């Protein structure tokens, strides 16, 4: 057994929490061993948020170009997309971000960067290849990967996930996407706008099933309006090789179209934490049945000195939640500030066009509480800025506690809503009643300007 090299801390995974935490630790004089096995910046930078949002921008440009005549702009000839140029633009943005993170870590004299897969040998020692590292504090930021479902035939076909789809430098003739939730929908709209035929197959009765039914219905209408085929209630999904690509079986019921054939198939059915090869058993760290590391409200695992941050703890599935995990751990360990995960208000967006922005509770969740509440909705056709932009699809909905007047949640689905929603979110963080926003004067003409007006329409939730 080689002698272990001693550090004050070991950070495993260069995702959205690890690098910032390592940097913070060194500012207090600690030495840190930092282990990353693949790409610095993790999922968000390399195969998640950054590349997809760069592609959303290209897809939007194509979409607006096709609608140019509606704005009085003349473009001659058909609008086509050069996927290699799209990918090159995207990859340049990604590379800048990735090298920025890597350089930041490598240039820190107190951080020793190791490349390789880390796994525990004991609660205080970690192996990376031939190197043995030892520290009293170990921070896991190992993230997750696309779930490979056990559909019959899945291993007989060349399926894609979010990583391999991004590596594709041709436009799929027909992209079949299994999974009608956030990732599947973003990719579906992107590739449809690039010119592919797209079919989204969802086993449930509606898209984005975590959202309210009116949101699911509006998403469906917009996607179908762009010519995306959507197959819901696909309760019997199978995959098989086909001469033109992959045949995806969707139903076992008689009398229905049994399958669709795609040139390419993307599986977008969820995420799995990267905890299976960490040797957690050797450290005694517990996980739930899905492999998520069990943590308390301050992100401590059951083993003293070991913490889990980001997607691998199952408490969030976003870049902002992973980064907030870093803030919580740093505040508790270094600032004597007892920040907690439960202080966090749920918020996220689905970056289809228009974006769906969500905070707090859905209408269904508010109803389930049984408490008196107020609700207001407003179609984007009644938002002047949206009309001026020619982008008036979607609607805004907000829910308020009838007794305390505090905002309970909102679904803002429309142009600019990914930004506009923050005035409601920050009011929730301030613990202020909705009347604070109701009386605020917002800039004209913006989407945010209509949020006080929306709140002025609150009615009892029946
Ligand atoms: C297609 C897609 C689009 C997305 N879009 C958005 C979005 O718009 N907004 C948003 O907020 N979120 C988005 N997400 C989610 C977001 O990417 C993740 O929530 C975020 O990256 C989680 O960060 P993390 O720090 O937990 O881990 P990750 O970013 O996954 O990083 C984990 C790192 O750990 C490394 N690692 C794993 N195991 C080991 C080991 N044993 N040894 C050494 N290194 C290891 C990995 O190589 C990786 O670099 C998207 C995700 C996908 C897939």
């Amino acid at each position: 057994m080689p002698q272990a090299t001693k550090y004050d801390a070991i950070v495993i995974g260069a995702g959205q929490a690890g690098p910032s935490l390592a940097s913070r630790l060194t500012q207090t004089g600690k030495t840190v061993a930092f282990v990353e096995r693949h790409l610095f910046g993790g999922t968000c930078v390399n195969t998640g948020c950054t590349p997809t949002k760069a592609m959303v921008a290209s897809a939007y440009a194509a979409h607006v170009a096709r609608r140019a005549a509606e704005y009085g702009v003349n473009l001659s000839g058909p609008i086509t997309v050069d996927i290699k140029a799209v990918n090159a633009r995207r990859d340049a943005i990604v590379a800048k971000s990735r090298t920025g993170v890597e350089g930041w870590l490598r240039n820190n004299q107190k951080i020793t960067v190791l490349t390789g897969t880390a796994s525990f040998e004991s609660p205080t020692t970690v192996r990376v290849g031939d190197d043995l590292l030892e520290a009293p504090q170990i921070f896991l930021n190992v993230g997750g990967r696309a779930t490979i479902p056990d559909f019959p035939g899945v291993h007989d076909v060349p399926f894609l996930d979010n990583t391999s789809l991004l590596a594709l430098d041709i436009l799929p003739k027909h992209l079949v996407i299994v999974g009608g939730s956030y990732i599947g929908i973003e990719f579906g709209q992107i590739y449809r706008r690039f010119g592919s035929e797209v079919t989204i197959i969802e086993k449930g009765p509606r898209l984005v099933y975590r959202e309210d039914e009116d949101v699911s219905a509006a998403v469906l209408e917009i996607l179908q309006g762009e010519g995306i085929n959507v197959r819901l209630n696909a309760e019997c999904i199978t995959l098989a090789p086909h001469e033109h690509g992959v045949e995806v079986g969707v139903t076992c019921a008689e009398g229905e179209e049994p399958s669709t054939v795609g040139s390419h198939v993307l599986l977008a059915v969820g995420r799995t934490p990267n905890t299976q090869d960490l040797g957690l058993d050797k450290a005694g760290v517990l996980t739930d049945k899905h492999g998520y590391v069990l943590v308390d409200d301050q992100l401590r695992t059951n083993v003293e000195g070991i913490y889990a941050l980001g997607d691998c703890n199952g408490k969030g599935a976003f870049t902002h939640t992973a980064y907030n995990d870093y803030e919580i751990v740093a505040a508790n360990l270094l600032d004597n500030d007892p920040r907690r995960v439960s202080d966090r208000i749920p918020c996220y967006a689905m970056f289809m066009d228009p974006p769906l922005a969500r905070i707090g509770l859905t209408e269904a969740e508010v109803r389930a509480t049984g408490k008196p509440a107020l609700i207001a909705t407003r179609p984007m056709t009644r938002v002047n800025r949206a009309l001026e932009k020619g982008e008036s699809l979607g609607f805004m909905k907000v829910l308020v506690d009838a007794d305390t007047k505090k905002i309970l949640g909102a679904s803002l689905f429309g142009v600019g809503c990914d930004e506009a929603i923050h005035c409601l979110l920050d009011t929730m963080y301030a613990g202020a009643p909705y009347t604070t926003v109701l009386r605020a004067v917002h800039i004209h003409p913006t989407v945010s300007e209509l949020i006080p007006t929306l709140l002025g329409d609150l009615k009892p939730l029946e």
Side-chain angles (χ1 to χ4, degrees), residues 14-17 39-58 86 89-91 93-95 97-98 101 143-144 162-163 166 182-184 186-187 190 271 310-311 316-323 347-352 418:
Q16 296 303 308
L39 299 174
F40 287 77
T43 307
C44 181
V45 165
N46 296 288
T47 57
C49 337
T50 306
T52 55
K53 268 77 260 183
M55 292 172 88
V56 164
S58 292
V86 167
R89 172 184 179 273
R90 175 200 73 194
D91 293 344
I93 297 168
V94 167
S97 198
R98 178 172 58 234
V101 176
N162 62 293
T163 302
L166 294 173
Y182 311 97
I183 291 176
E186 285 186 12
F187 274 124
I190 288 170
R271 306 284 297 168
D311 284 13
F318 304 99
T319 283
H320 46 275
T321 50
Y323 187 79
C347 69
Y348 55 87
M350 174 168 71
F351 293 93
M352 65 175 286
D418 49 341

Side-chain angles (χ1 to χ4, degrees), residues 268-300:
V269 295
R271 306 284 297 168
T272 300
N274 292 324
T275 52
Q276 80 294 344
D277 57 355
L278 262 179
L280 291 175
D281 50 330
K282 290 194 185 163
V285 173
L286 298 176
T287 63
D288 71 8
K289 63 178 185 200
H290 304 291
Y292 289 103
V293 180
L294 294 173
V295 289
D296 66 12
D297 210 14
Q298 288 161 319
L299 303 168
R300 292 178 289 229

Side-chain angles (χ1 to χ4, degrees), residues 175-192:
L175 179 63
V176 176
I177 299 173
V178 182
S181 203
Y182 311 97
I183 291 176
I185 287 172
E186 285 186 12
F187 274 124
Q189 192 183 43
I190 288 170
Y191 278 90
R192 180 66 194 140

